[in-house]
Amino acid sequence: MATCLFCEIAQRRRPAEVVLDDPQALAFLDIYPSARGHTLVIPRAHAEYLGELDDALIGPLFQAVKRVTELLQRALGAQGFTVGLNHGRAAGQHVPHLHVHIIPRYAGDRGTGVQGVVRSAPDEPLAQVAAAVRRSAEPRPS
Ligand code: 5GP
Ligand code: ZN
């Protein structure tokens, strides 16, 4: 990949306020924080989506997420966290290098839970949706 913003941060070629520097993952403050301590956790290896990230790197990425929540709780008194990925353009992903947002939550911050990001409940029965998902896990005829 020629120039990826977050690869440049991972390689320390672009400045960032790094809060955790692990062999496989890096955490730094979001430049436009939604709350005090809003942090992005990225794999050092370039991947746009979870499906592109080597399985062996999923654990280290989420271990870093866990560690950052502990640090933010201790350092800033965060009372909770909204943790999430804008995964894909339709979900609002702007930077094409996988990143996990950790947004510290404080009592009375007037934010919502993740269910609040979209309101487009289907009319379809849950059983029908679940059956479609389960079918997609079955091996395809060759
Ligand atoms: P997305 O919308 O892709 O999920 O979020 C990308 C996030 O990266 C945004 O919240 C944005 O503020 C943050 N961001 C974009 N460019 C930079 C940068 O150069 N440095 C840092 N620290 N954060 C950035
Ligand atoms: Zn990248």
Side-chain angles (χ1 to χ4, degrees), residues 13-44:
R13 290 192 284 120
R14 178 183 284 269
E17 294 296 341
V18 172
V19 296
L20 184 79
D21 191 343
D22 277 354
Q24 311 288 9
L26 188 79
F28 52 94
L29 297 185
D30 193 298
I31 204 163
Y32 298 117
S34 298
R36 184 168 183 247
H38 180 174
T39 300
L40 302 174
V41 184
I42 63 169
R44 286 185 174 283

mmCIF file of all heavy atoms in Angstrom, residues 13-44:
data_model
loop_
_atom_site.group_PDB
_atom_site.id
_atom_site.type_symbol
_atom_site.label_atom_id
_atom_site.label_comp_id
_atom_site.label_asym_id
_atom_site.label_seq_id
_atom_site.Cartn_x
_atom_site.Cartn_y
_atom_site.Cartn_z
ATOM 1 N N ARG A 13 6.012 7.389 11.180
ATOM 2 C CA ARG A 13 6.458 8.380 10.188
ATOM 3 C C ARG A 13 5.526 9.592 10.187
ATOM 4 O O ARG A 13 5.752 10.560 9.473
ATOM 5 C CB ARG A 13 6.524 7.740 8.792
ATOM 6 C CG ARG A 13 7.663 6.735 8.662
ATOM 7 C CD ARG A 13 7.914 6.312 7.231
ATOM 8 N NE ARG A 13 6.909 5.371 6.758
ATOM 9 C CZ ARG A 13 6.112 5.590 5.720
ATOM 10 N NH1 ARG A 13 6.214 6.696 5.024
ATOM 11 N NH2 ARG A 13 5.228 4.688 5.370
ATOM 12 N N ARG A 14 4.428 9.480 10.933
ATOM 13 C CA ARG A 14 3.472 10.584 11.073
ATOM 14 C C ARG A 14 3.186 10.733 12.564
ATOM 15 O O ARG A 14 2.996 9.721 13.241
ATOM 16 C CB ARG A 14 2.194 10.251 10.295
ATOM 17 C CG ARG A 14 1.095 11.288 10.401
ATOM 18 C CD ARG A 14 -0.139 10.811 9.652
ATOM 19 N NE ARG A 14 0.033 10.944 8.223
ATOM 20 C CZ ARG A 14 -0.324 12.023 7.526
ATOM 21 N NH1 ARG A 14 -0.887 13.056 8.132
ATOM 22 N NH2 ARG A 14 -0.145 12.070 6.237
ATOM 23 N N PRO A 15 3.182 11.970 13.076
ATOM 24 C CA PRO A 15 3.004 12.119 14.521
ATOM 25 C C PRO A 15 1.610 11.729 15.003
ATOM 26 O O PRO A 15 0.627 11.877 14.264
ATOM 27 C CB PRO A 15 3.267 13.616 14.755
ATOM 28 C CG PRO A 15 3.116 14.271 13.439
ATOM 29 C CD PRO A 15 3.371 13.248 12.372
ATOM 30 N N ALA A 16 1.568 11.205 16.192
ATOM 31 C CA ALA A 16 0.291 10.881 16.838
ATOM 32 C C ALA A 16 0.548 10.790 18.334
ATOM 33 O O ALA A 16 1.677 10.546 18.762
ATOM 34 C CB ALA A 16 -0.253 9.551 16.313
ATOM 35 N N GLU A 17 -0.517 10.993 19.092
ATOM 36 C CA GLU A 17 -0.414 10.888 20.557
ATOM 37 C C GLU A 17 -0.627 9.426 20.946
ATOM 38 O O GLU A 17 -1.739 8.983 21.214
ATOM 39 C CB GLU A 17 -1.436 11.798 21.229
ATOM 40 C CG GLU A 17 -1.196 13.280 21.021
ATOM 41 C CD GLU A 17 0.124 13.766 21.655
ATOM 42 O OE1 GLU A 17 0.669 13.092 22.528
ATOM 43 O OE2 GLU A 17 0.571 14.860 21.249
ATOM 44 N N VAL A 18 0.472 8.698 20.916
ATOM 45 C CA VAL A 18 0.425 7.258 21.168
ATOM 46 C C VAL A 18 0.256 6.991 22.664
ATOM 47 O O VAL A 18 0.929 7.604 23.492
ATOM 48 C CB VAL A 18 1.713 6.595 20.620
ATOM 49 C CG1 VAL A 18 1.804 5.129 21.042
ATOM 50 C CG2 VAL A 18 1.754 6.713 19.098
ATOM 51 N N VAL A 19 -0.668 6.079 22.986
ATOM 52 C CA VAL A 19 -0.870 5.725 24.397
ATOM 53 C C VAL A 19 -0.511 4.273 24.691
ATOM 54 O O VAL A 19 -0.347 3.893 25.847
ATOM 55 C CB VAL A 19 -2.318 6.031 24.869
ATOM 56 C CG1 VAL A 19 -2.590 7.532 24.814
ATOM 57 C CG2 VAL A 19 -3.363 5.274 24.057
ATOM 58 N N LEU A 20 -0.390 3.471 23.644
ATOM 59 C CA LEU A 20 0.022 2.070 23.832
ATOM 60 C C LEU A 20 0.747 1.609 22.575
ATOM 61 O O LEU A 20 0.234 1.784 21.467
ATOM 62 C CB LEU A 20 -1.200 1.176 24.074
ATOM 63 C CG LEU A 20 -0.877 -0.285 24.383
ATOM 64 C CD1 LEU A 20 -0.435 -0.445 25.834
ATOM 65 C CD2 LEU A 20 -2.092 -1.168 24.128
ATOM 66 N N ASP A 21 1.920 1.053 22.787
ATOM 67 C CA ASP A 21 2.770 0.654 21.661
ATOM 68 C C ASP A 21 3.126 -0.817 21.834
ATOM 69 O O ASP A 21 4.013 -1.151 22.607
ATOM 70 C CB ASP A 21 4.034 1.544 21.696
ATOM 71 C CG ASP A 21 4.868 1.422 20.438
ATOM 72 O OD1 ASP A 21 4.682 0.447 19.693
ATOM 73 O OD2 ASP A 21 5.704 2.306 20.217
ATOM 74 N N ASP A 22 2.382 -1.683 21.157
ATOM 75 C CA ASP A 22 2.592 -3.130 21.259
ATOM 76 C C ASP A 22 3.252 -3.642 19.978
ATOM 77 O O ASP A 22 3.203 -2.971 18.954
ATOM 78 C CB ASP A 22 1.234 -3.836 21.423
ATOM 79 C CG ASP A 22 0.753 -3.849 22.857
ATOM 80 O OD1 ASP A 22 1.514 -3.415 23.739
ATOM 81 O OD2 ASP A 22 -0.396 -4.284 23.089
ATOM 82 N N PRO A 23 3.819 -4.836 20.028
ATOM 83 C CA PRO A 23 4.449 -5.367 18.803
ATOM 84 C C PRO A 23 3.480 -5.475 17.625
ATOM 85 O O PRO A 23 3.861 -5.249 16.482
ATOM 86 C CB PRO A 23 4.955 -6.749 19.231
ATOM 87 C CG PRO A 23 5.056 -6.698 20.719
ATOM 88 C CD PRO A 23 4.026 -5.716 21.186
ATOM 89 N N GLN A 24 2.218 -5.837 17.896
ATOM 90 C CA GLN A 24 1.266 -6.064 16.798
ATOM 91 C C GLN A 24 0.179 -5.009 16.695
ATOM 92 O O GLN A 24 -0.623 -5.045 15.762
ATOM 93 C CB GLN A 24 0.568 -7.431 16.970
ATOM 94 C CG GLN A 24 1.492 -8.591 17.244
ATOM 95 C CD GLN A 24 2.295 -8.987 16.020
ATOM 96 O OE1 GLN A 24 2.276 -8.291 15.006
ATOM 97 N NE2 GLN A 24 3.013 -10.087 16.100
ATOM 98 N N ALA A 25 0.109 -4.105 17.667
ATOM 99 C CA ALA A 25 -0.983 -3.121 17.687
ATOM 100 C C ALA A 25 -0.484 -1.804 18.256
ATOM 101 O O ALA A 25 0.493 -1.763 19.019
ATOM 102 C CB ALA A 25 -2.150 -3.647 18.518
ATOM 103 N N LEU A 26 -1.161 -0.749 17.845
ATOM 104 C CA LEU A 26 -0.795 0.586 18.329
ATOM 105 C C LEU A 26 -2.082 1.322 18.691
ATOM 106 O O LEU A 26 -3.095 1.174 18.000
ATOM 107 C CB LEU A 26 -0.069 1.348 17.209
ATOM 108 C CG LEU A 26 0.551 2.689 17.599
ATOM 109 C CD1 LEU A 26 1.886 2.451 18.324
ATOM 110 C CD2 LEU A 26 0.806 3.553 16.362
ATOM 111 N N ALA A 27 -2.026 2.104 19.775
ATOM 112 C CA ALA A 27 -3.194 2.894 20.168
ATOM 113 C C ALA A 27 -2.784 4.353 20.292
ATOM 114 O O ALA A 27 -1.747 4.671 20.878
ATOM 115 C CB ALA A 27 -3.751 2.387 21.494
ATOM 116 N N PHE A 28 -3.604 5.224 19.716
ATOM 117 C CA PHE A 28 -3.300 6.662 19.749
ATOM 118 C C PHE A 28 -4.611 7.443 19.831
ATOM 119 O O PHE A 28 -5.677 6.952 19.446
ATOM 120 C CB PHE A 28 -2.478 7.085 18.517
ATOM 121 C CG PHE A 28 -3.073 6.664 17.198
ATOM 122 C CD1 PHE A 28 -3.904 7.533 16.488
ATOM 123 C CD2 PHE A 28 -2.843 5.404 16.665
ATOM 124 C CE1 PHE A 28 -4.475 7.154 15.281
ATOM 125 C CE2 PHE A 28 -3.402 5.006 15.447
ATOM 126 C CZ PHE A 28 -4.213 5.885 14.761
ATOM 127 N N LEU A 29 -4.498 8.675 20.313
ATOM 128 C CA LEU A 29 -5.706 9.493 20.472
ATOM 129 C C LEU A 29 -6.245 9.924 19.118
ATOM 130 O O LEU A 29 -5.472 10.299 18.217
ATOM 131 C CB LEU A 29 -5.402 10.728 21.322
ATOM 132 C CG LEU A 29 -4.962 10.475 22.769
ATOM 133 C CD1 LEU A 29 -4.818 11.809 23.511
ATOM 134 C CD2 LEU A 29 -5.929 9.557 23.507
ATOM 135 N N ASP A 30 -7.572 9.874 18.993
ATOM 136 C CA ASP A 30 -8.232 10.371 17.781
ATOM 137 C C ASP A 30 -8.009 11.889 17.706
ATOM 138 O O ASP A 30 -8.161 12.611 18.695
ATOM 139 C CB ASP A 30 -9.726 10.055 17.835
ATOM 140 C CG ASP A 30 -10.411 10.246 16.504
ATOM 141 O OD1 ASP A 30 -10.429 11.391 15.990
ATOM 142 O OD2 ASP A 30 -10.944 9.265 15.965
ATOM 143 N N ILE A 31 -7.649 12.356 16.512
ATOM 144 C CA ILE A 31 -7.324 13.778 16.354
ATOM 145 C C ILE A 31 -8.556 14.677 16.540
ATOM 146 O O ILE A 31 -8.424 15.844 16.919
ATOM 147 C CB ILE A 31 -6.622 14.009 14.985
ATOM 148 C CG1 ILE A 31 -5.779 15.262 15.015
ATOM 149 C CG2 ILE A 31 -7.606 14.009 13.847
ATOM 150 C CD1 ILE A 31 -4.757 15.339 13.873
ATOM 151 N N TYR A 32 -9.738 14.126 16.292
ATOM 152 C CA TYR A 32 -11.000 14.855 16.536
ATOM 153 C C TYR A 32 -11.827 14.077 17.558
ATOM 154 O O TYR A 32 -12.798 13.387 17.198
ATOM 155 C CB TYR A 32 -11.797 15.021 15.236
ATOM 156 C CG TYR A 32 -11.097 15.820 14.172
ATOM 157 C CD1 TYR A 32 -10.753 15.244 12.952
ATOM 158 C CD2 TYR A 32 -10.767 17.161 14.383
ATOM 159 C CE1 TYR A 32 -10.103 15.981 11.969
ATOM 160 C CE2 TYR A 32 -10.108 17.897 13.399
ATOM 161 C CZ TYR A 32 -9.781 17.299 12.194
ATOM 162 O OH TYR A 32 -9.140 18.025 11.231
ATOM 163 N N PRO A 33 -11.449 14.181 18.815
ATOM 164 C CA PRO A 33 -12.082 13.315 19.823
ATOM 165 C C PRO A 33 -13.563 13.598 20.033
ATOM 166 O O PRO A 33 -13.982 14.749 20.086
ATOM 167 C CB PRO A 33 -11.273 13.614 21.090
ATOM 168 C CG PRO A 33 -10.663 14.966 20.867
ATOM 169 C CD PRO A 33 -10.440 15.087 19.393
ATOM 170 N N SER A 34 -14.336 12.509 20.158
ATOM 171 C CA SER A 34 -15.757 12.633 20.508
ATOM 172 C C SER A 34 -15.922 12.787 22.013
ATOM 173 O O SER A 34 -16.992 13.177 22.481
ATOM 174 C CB SER A 34 -16.524 11.385 20.067
ATOM 175 O OG SER A 34 -16.460 11.245 18.676
ATOM 176 N N ALA A 35 -14.901 12.411 22.758
ATOM 177 C CA ALA A 35 -14.921 12.532 24.217
ATOM 178 C C ALA A 35 -13.461 12.545 24.683
ATOM 179 O O ALA A 35 -12.558 12.135 23.927
ATOM 180 C CB ALA A 35 -15.668 11.363 24.843
ATOM 181 N N ARG A 36 -13.255 12.968 25.909
ATOM 182 C CA ARG A 36 -11.895 13.012 26.440
ATOM 183 C C ARG A 36 -11.318 11.595 26.477
ATOM 184 O O ARG A 36 -11.888 10.705 27.088
ATOM 185 C CB ARG A 36 -11.927 13.613 27.851
ATOM 186 C CG ARG A 36 -10.553 13.797 28.468
ATOM 187 C CD ARG A 36 -10.656 14.650 29.728
ATOM 188 N NE ARG A 36 -9.332 14.891 30.286
ATOM 189 C CZ ARG A 36 -8.909 14.422 31.445
ATOM 190 N NH1 ARG A 36 -9.717 13.700 32.205
ATOM 191 N NH2 ARG A 36 -7.687 14.681 31.868
ATOM 192 N N GLY A 37 -10.177 11.409 25.803
ATOM 193 C CA GLY A 37 -9.527 10.100 25.794
ATOM 194 C C GLY A 37 -9.935 9.208 24.629
ATOM 195 O O GLY A 37 -9.509 8.048 24.559
ATOM 196 N N HIS A 38 -10.732 9.725 23.702
ATOM 197 C CA HIS A 38 -11.146 8.929 22.516
ATOM 198 C C HIS A 38 -9.885 8.401 21.821
ATOM 199 O O HIS A 38 -9.021 9.157 21.384
ATOM 200 C CB HIS A 38 -11.946 9.854 21.586
ATOM 201 C CG HIS A 38 -12.448 9.208 20.331
ATOM 202 N ND1 HIS A 38 -13.284 9.875 19.471
ATOM 203 C CD2 HIS A 38 -12.252 7.993 19.769
ATOM 204 C CE1 HIS A 38 -13.578 9.103 18.440
ATOM 205 N NE2 HIS A 38 -12.949 7.945 18.596
ATOM 206 N N THR A 39 -9.817 7.089 21.738
ATOM 207 C CA THR A 39 -8.595 6.425 21.270
ATOM 208 C C THR A 39 -8.907 5.511 20.092
ATOM 209 O O THR A 39 -9.990 4.918 20.021
ATOM 210 C CB THR A 39 -8.001 5.597 22.441
ATOM 211 O OG1 THR A 39 -7.693 6.484 23.511
ATOM 212 C CG2 THR A 39 -6.744 4.844 22.035
ATOM 213 N N LEU A 40 -7.960 5.397 19.190
ATOM 214 C CA LEU A 40 -8.059 4.452 18.073
ATOM 215 C C LEU A 40 -7.026 3.367 18.287
ATOM 216 O O LEU A 40 -5.859 3.674 18.602
ATOM 217 C CB LEU A 40 -7.787 5.163 16.741
ATOM 218 C CG LEU A 40 -8.710 6.337 16.408
ATOM 219 C CD1 LEU A 40 -8.230 7.046 15.137
ATOM 220 C CD2 LEU A 40 -10.157 5.879 16.245
ATOM 221 N N VAL A 41 -7.427 2.120 18.118
ATOM 222 C CA VAL A 41 -6.491 0.996 18.226
ATOM 223 C C VAL A 41 -6.409 0.350 16.849
ATOM 224 O O VAL A 41 -7.438 0.013 16.255
ATOM 225 C CB VAL A 41 -6.959 -0.035 19.271
ATOM 226 C CG1 VAL A 41 -5.913 -1.134 19.431
ATOM 227 C CG2 VAL A 41 -7.226 0.645 20.620
ATOM 228 N N ILE A 42 -5.193 0.201 16.361
ATOM 229 C CA ILE A 42 -5.009 -0.359 15.007
ATOM 230 C C ILE A 42 -4.041 -1.535 15.049
ATOM 231 O O ILE A 42 -3.140 -1.580 15.892
ATOM 232 C CB ILE A 42 -4.464 0.703 14.010
ATOM 233 C CG1 ILE A 42 -3.070 1.208 14.427
ATOM 234 C CG2 ILE A 42 -5.429 1.859 13.860
ATOM 235 C CD1 ILE A 42 -2.366 2.049 13.355
ATOM 236 N N PRO A 43 -4.225 -2.459 14.096
ATOM 237 C CA PRO A 43 -3.173 -3.454 13.906
ATOM 238 C C PRO A 43 -2.014 -2.774 13.175
ATOM 239 O O PRO A 43 -2.249 -1.895 12.333
ATOM 240 C CB PRO A 43 -3.839 -4.510 13.018
ATOM 241 C CG PRO A 43 -4.904 -3.767 12.272
ATOM 242 C CD PRO A 43 -5.335 -2.613 13.147
ATOM 243 N N ARG A 44 -0.797 -3.160 13.479
ATOM 244 C CA ARG A 44 0.345 -2.563 12.757
ATOM 245 C C ARG A 44 0.318 -2.981 11.281
ATOM 246 O O ARG A 44 0.688 -2.217 10.408
ATOM 247 C CB ARG A 44 1.660 -3.025 13.369
ATOM 248 C CG ARG A 44 1.941 -2.368 14.687
ATOM 249 C CD ARG A 44 3.318 -2.771 15.186
ATOM 250 N NE ARG A 44 3.600 -2.020 16.377
ATOM 251 C CZ ARG A 44 3.973 -0.737 16.385
ATOM 252 N NH1 ARG A 44 4.144 -0.083 15.265
ATOM 253 N NH2 ARG A 44 4.184 -0.120 17.531
#
